[in-house]
Amino acid sequence: FRGIELSYSQRLGFFDNEYLRAFSVFGTYSQFNVTPRPRNGTRFFPRAATGGVTWSLGKFYFQVNGTWTDETFVGEDDKVSPTAALYPRDEAYFKPRTILFMNARYKLTDTFSVFVSGDRAYDSGKIWFYKSDGRVRQIENYGSQWSVGVKADF
């Protein structure tokens, strides 16, 4: 298993404008290699990236972040006989995928705040495909999950 990860994070406090100083940014990029390749059922992705922006000023807080994963080997299609004339033991992969998340909060008092949170605010779903010719085997689409509420800190 070999790999490298690059990461960057900074609060933009060097700006003169108070609204711009309230921003923070972060990002990571990872790349891995493993030999021999993991067995069926192991979801090993060779490249991934995450990033996000946070804005926090006074009673307001807002964050958007996301994750991208590269094409991912998921195994050989063991439902196709190794003696089949077409596509025996074809290798299946997930297509690259992007997921976004968001959070917003407004502090009403020192104790109470209201919030909205979007889990998988954008999700490109999972697409299984065969590497040899790009045939799609399966598509899954996922919906967003949103939460709205009041938070109390005691």
Side-chain angles (χ1 to χ4, degrees), residues 6-152:
L6 304 171
S7 185
Y8 173 78
S9 177
Q10 182 170 1
R11 182 164 178 101
L12 305 180
F14 52 82
F15 284 112
D16 291 334
N17 183 299
E18 72 173 312
Y19 296 104
L20 294 177
R21 275 196 317 264
F23 278 100
S24 296
V25 295
F26 79 93
T28 64
Y29 174 79
S30 305
Q31 183 166 332
F32 303 103
N33 187 8
V34 63
T35 305
R37 182 167 48 196
R39 297 179 186 178
N40 288 358
T42 302
R43 306 289 197 258
F44 174 78
F45 51 88
R47 285 174 286 284
T50 61
V53 176
T54 301
W55 186 76
S56 181
L57 182 66
K59 297 181 176 193
F60 292 99
Y61 173 87
F62 181 75
Q63 180 183 51
V64 175
N65 60 58
T67 300
W68 170 83
T69 53
D70 196 6
E71 184 175 276
T72 306
F73 175 74
V74 294
E76 293 178 339
D77 191 342
D78 57 4
K79 294 168 187 60
V80 179
S81 166
T83 59
L86 298 174
Y87 314 114
R89 300 274 190 220
D90 215 352
E91 292 184 342
Y93 288 78
F94 285 142
K95 288 203 177 223
R97 183 176 180 203
T98 304
I99 303 171
L100 292 179
F101 305 89
M102 68 83 57
N103 291 296
R105 183 175 62 237
Y106 177 75
K107 199 165 189 169
L108 298 169
T109 67
D110 288 341
T111 306
F112 293 99
S113 57
V114 292
F115 70 89
V116 60
S117 178
D119 187 21
R120 299 179 187 272
Y122 167 80
D123 185 347
S124 59
K126 289 182 183 175
I127 300 173
W128 283 260
F129 74 103
Y130 294 108
K131 185 82 167 192
S132 61
D133 61 0
R135 284 174 296 132
V136 173
R137 183 183 94 185
Q138 180 177 338
I139 297 175
E140 290 182 0
N141 290 313
Y142 306 109
S144 300
Q145 178 181 341
W146 292 90
S147 301
V148 177
V150 177
K151 179 182 174 191

